[in-house]
Tab-separated table of all heavy atoms in Angstrom:
chain	number	residue	atom	x	y	z
A	1502	GLY	N	-205.717	79.503	-73.963
A	1502	GLY	CA	-204.949	79.351	-72.716
A	1502	GLY	C	-205.621	80.208	-71.532
A	1502	GLY	O	-205.732	79.641	-70.462
A	1503	MET	N	-206.137	81.357	-71.930
A	1503	MET	CA	-206.872	82.203	-70.817
A	1503	MET	C	-208.122	81.487	-70.503
A	1503	MET	O	-208.517	81.459	-69.204
A	1503	MET	CB	-207.032	83.504	-71.483
A	1503	MET	CG	-207.988	84.400	-70.603
A	1503	MET	SD	-207.949	86.096	-71.143
A	1503	MET	CE	-208.848	86.003	-72.699
A	1504	ARG	N	-208.813	80.793	-71.402
A	1504	ARG	CA	-209.996	80.084	-70.896
A	1504	ARG	C	-209.764	78.764	-70.057
A	1504	ARG	O	-210.391	78.589	-69.148
A	1504	ARG	CB	-210.731	79.601	-72.222
A	1504	ARG	CG	-211.337	80.693	-73.039
A	1504	ARG	CD	-211.926	80.206	-74.320
A	1504	ARG	NE	-213.048	79.303	-74.173
A	1504	ARG	CZ	-213.479	78.271	-75.103
A	1504	ARG	NH1	-212.875	78.284	-76.334
A	1504	ARG	NH2	-214.446	77.521	-74.806
A	1505	PHE	N	-208.697	78.256	-70.315
A	1505	PHE	CA	-208.181	77.065	-69.551
A	1505	PHE	C	-207.930	77.523	-68.069
A	1505	PHE	O	-208.171	77.049	-67.069
A	1505	PHE	CB	-206.950	76.338	-70.150
A	1505	PHE	CG	-207.283	75.471	-71.221
A	1505	PHE	CD1	-206.397	75.348	-72.386
A	1505	PHE	CD2	-208.451	74.754	-71.421
A	1505	PHE	CE1	-206.567	74.703	-73.409
A	1505	PHE	CE2	-208.616	73.968	-72.521
A	1505	PHE	CZ	-207.756	73.878	-73.481
A	1506	LEU	N	-207.230	78.718	-67.978
A	1506	LEU	CA	-206.758	79.247	-66.840
A	1506	LEU	C	-208.011	79.746	-66.029
A	1506	LEU	O	-208.235	79.509	-64.775
A	1506	LEU	CB	-205.723	80.460	-67.011
A	1506	LEU	CG	-205.244	81.106	-65.637
A	1506	LEU	CD1	-204.383	80.062	-64.881
A	1506	LEU	CD2	-204.237	82.229	-66.021
A	1507	THR	N	-208.953	80.450	-66.663
A	1507	THR	CA	-210.187	80.926	-66.051
A	1507	THR	C	-210.899	79.704	-65.531
A	1507	THR	O	-211.355	79.737	-64.285
A	1507	THR	CB	-211.058	81.632	-67.217
A	1507	THR	OG1	-210.392	82.603	-67.707
A	1507	THR	CG2	-212.409	82.017	-66.526
A	1508	ASP	N	-210.923	78.594	-66.283
A	1508	ASP	CA	-211.640	77.429	-65.822
A	1508	ASP	C	-210.992	76.725	-64.414
A	1508	ASP	O	-211.713	76.409	-63.495
A	1508	ASP	CB	-211.731	76.328	-66.878
A	1508	ASP	CG	-212.912	75.369	-66.551
A	1508	ASP	OD1	-213.996	75.796	-65.866
A	1508	ASP	OD2	-212.806	74.152	-66.882
A	1509	TYR	N	-209.707	76.893	-64.568
A	1509	TYR	CA	-208.858	76.507	-63.311
A	1509	TYR	C	-209.283	77.278	-62.141
A	1509	TYR	O	-209.384	76.714	-61.017
A	1509	TYR	CB	-207.408	76.489	-63.735
A	1509	TYR	CG	-206.529	75.921	-62.476
A	1509	TYR	CD1	-206.489	74.525	-62.297
A	1509	TYR	CD2	-205.795	76.665	-61.797
A	1509	TYR	CE1	-205.808	73.937	-61.281
A	1509	TYR	CE2	-204.967	76.194	-60.690
A	1509	TYR	CZ	-205.002	74.802	-60.428
A	1509	TYR	OH	-204.239	74.304	-59.470
A	1510	LEU	N	-209.302	78.612	-62.399
A	1510	LEU	CA	-209.590	79.393	-61.209
A	1510	LEU	C	-210.926	79.208	-60.733
A	1510	LEU	O	-211.412	79.414	-59.428
A	1510	LEU	CB	-209.443	81.023	-61.641
A	1510	LEU	CG	-207.916	81.381	-61.842
A	1510	LEU	CD1	-207.950	82.769	-62.502
A	1510	LEU	CD2	-207.091	81.441	-60.656
A	1511	ASN	N	-211.927	78.876	-61.633
A	1511	ASN	CA	-213.303	78.607	-61.210
A	1511	ASN	C	-213.604	77.316	-60.708
A	1511	ASN	O	-214.701	77.027	-60.236
A	1511	ASN	CB	-214.215	78.819	-62.504
A	1511	ASN	CG	-214.491	80.209	-62.906
A	1511	ASN	OD1	-214.345	81.102	-62.250
A	1511	ASN	ND2	-214.764	80.306	-64.153
A	1512	GLY	N	-212.553	76.477	-60.607
A	1512	GLY	CA	-212.681	75.059	-60.003
A	1512	GLY	C	-213.158	74.020	-61.078
A	1512	GLY	O	-213.845	73.081	-60.640
A	1513	ASP	N	-212.852	74.260	-62.313
A	1513	ASP	CA	-212.999	73.215	-63.420
A	1513	ASP	C	-214.474	72.965	-63.573
A	1513	ASP	O	-215.020	71.803	-63.444
A	1513	ASP	CB	-212.241	71.893	-63.101
A	1513	ASP	CG	-210.866	72.114	-62.654
A	1513	ASP	OD1	-210.159	72.950	-63.371
A	1513	ASP	OD2	-210.301	71.558	-61.634
A	1514	THR	N	-215.224	73.988	-63.934
A	1514	THR	CA	-216.655	73.924	-64.188
A	1514	THR	C	-216.930	73.629	-65.657
A	1514	THR	O	-218.121	73.432	-66.017
A	1514	THR	CB	-217.424	74.986	-63.627
A	1514	THR	OG1	-216.879	76.254	-64.328
A	1514	THR	CG2	-217.182	75.136	-62.094
A	1515	TYR	N	-215.969	73.865	-66.631
A	1515	TYR	CA	-216.398	73.880	-68.021
A	1515	TYR	C	-215.749	72.752	-68.851
A	1515	TYR	O	-216.382	71.885	-69.290
A	1515	TYR	CB	-215.933	75.385	-68.622
A	1515	TYR	CG	-216.345	75.519	-70.056
A	1515	TYR	CD1	-217.505	76.250	-70.275
A	1515	TYR	CD2	-215.628	75.130	-71.067
A	1515	TYR	CE1	-218.024	76.487	-71.678
A	1515	TYR	CE2	-216.030	75.388	-72.347
A	1515	TYR	CZ	-217.153	76.048	-72.715
A	1515	TYR	OH	-217.551	76.219	-73.964
A	1516	PHE	N	-214.373	72.772	-68.890
A	1516	PHE	CA	-213.769	71.649	-69.720
A	1516	PHE	C	-213.639	70.379	-68.803
A	1516	PHE	O	-213.407	70.458	-67.657
A	1516	PHE	CB	-212.302	72.177	-70.143
A	1516	PHE	CG	-212.250	73.348	-70.981
A	1516	PHE	CD1	-211.919	74.554	-70.440
A	1516	PHE	CD2	-212.570	73.266	-72.288
A	1516	PHE	CE1	-211.856	75.754	-71.371
A	1516	PHE	CE2	-212.474	74.379	-73.173
A	1516	PHE	CZ	-212.078	75.567	-72.665
A	1517	ARG	N	-213.863	69.344	-69.608
A	1517	ARG	CA	-213.586	67.993	-68.945
A	1517	ARG	C	-212.165	67.768	-68.565
A	1517	ARG	O	-211.200	68.196	-69.406
A	1517	ARG	CB	-214.011	66.865	-69.953
A	1517	ARG	CG	-213.977	65.485	-69.236
A	1517	ARG	CD	-214.399	64.483	-70.292
A	1517	ARG	NE	-215.743	64.657	-70.734
A	1517	ARG	CZ	-216.264	64.650	-72.034
A	1517	ARG	NH1	-215.351	64.421	-73.088
A	1517	ARG	NH2	-217.494	64.867	-72.246
A	1518	ILE	N	-211.845	67.424	-67.323
A	1518	ILE	CA	-210.404	67.180	-67.022
A	1518	ILE	C	-210.128	65.750	-66.677
A	1518	ILE	O	-211.040	65.111	-66.183
A	1518	ILE	CB	-210.062	68.098	-65.763
A	1518	ILE	CG1	-211.088	67.932	-64.698
A	1518	ILE	CG2	-209.891	69.618	-66.154
A	1518	ILE	CD1	-210.546	68.490	-63.308
A	1519	ALA	N	-208.900	65.343	-66.783
A	1519	ALA	CA	-208.457	64.058	-66.363
A	1519	ALA	C	-207.716	63.952	-64.988
A	1519	ALA	O	-207.724	62.964	-64.474
A	1519	ALA	CB	-207.573	63.453	-67.512
A	1520	TYR	N	-207.262	65.055	-64.467
A	1520	TYR	CA	-206.720	65.138	-63.293
A	1520	TYR	C	-206.830	66.618	-62.679
A	1520	TYR	O	-207.011	67.470	-63.390
A	1520	TYR	CB	-205.250	64.596	-63.211
A	1520	TYR	CG	-204.378	65.362	-64.326
A	1520	TYR	CD1	-203.635	66.473	-63.892
A	1520	TYR	CD2	-204.436	64.897	-65.677
A	1520	TYR	CE1	-202.900	67.160	-64.902
A	1520	TYR	CE2	-203.580	65.582	-66.563
A	1520	TYR	CZ	-202.932	66.705	-66.291
A	1520	TYR	OH	-202.004	67.409	-67.215
A	1521	PRO	N	-206.638	66.835	-61.352
A	1521	PRO	CA	-206.891	68.137	-60.797
A	1521	PRO	C	-206.264	69.289	-61.406
A	1521	PRO	O	-206.844	70.396	-61.522
A	1521	PRO	CB	-206.583	67.971	-59.338
A	1521	PRO	CG	-206.647	66.501	-59.135
A	1521	PRO	CD	-206.316	65.790	-60.334
A	1522	GLU	N	-204.922	69.110	-61.826
A	1522	GLU	CA	-204.212	70.325	-62.305
A	1522	GLU	C	-204.287	70.500	-63.838
A	1522	GLU	O	-203.613	71.185	-64.571
A	1522	GLU	CB	-202.765	70.205	-62.075
A	1522	GLU	CG	-202.345	69.981	-60.608
A	1522	GLU	CD	-202.834	71.284	-59.733
A	1522	GLU	OE1	-202.258	72.345	-59.932
A	1522	GLU	OE2	-203.785	71.096	-58.877
Side-chain angles (χ1 to χ4, degrees):
M1503 176 168 66
R1504 290 175 63 201
F1505 288 141
L1506 185 60
T1507 303
D1508 200 31
Y1509 185 69
L1510 293 169
N1511 284 336
D1513 310 311
T1514 59
Y1515 188 94
F1516 296 104
R1517 186 179 298 132
I1518 52 166
Y1520 53 92
E1522 304 298 296

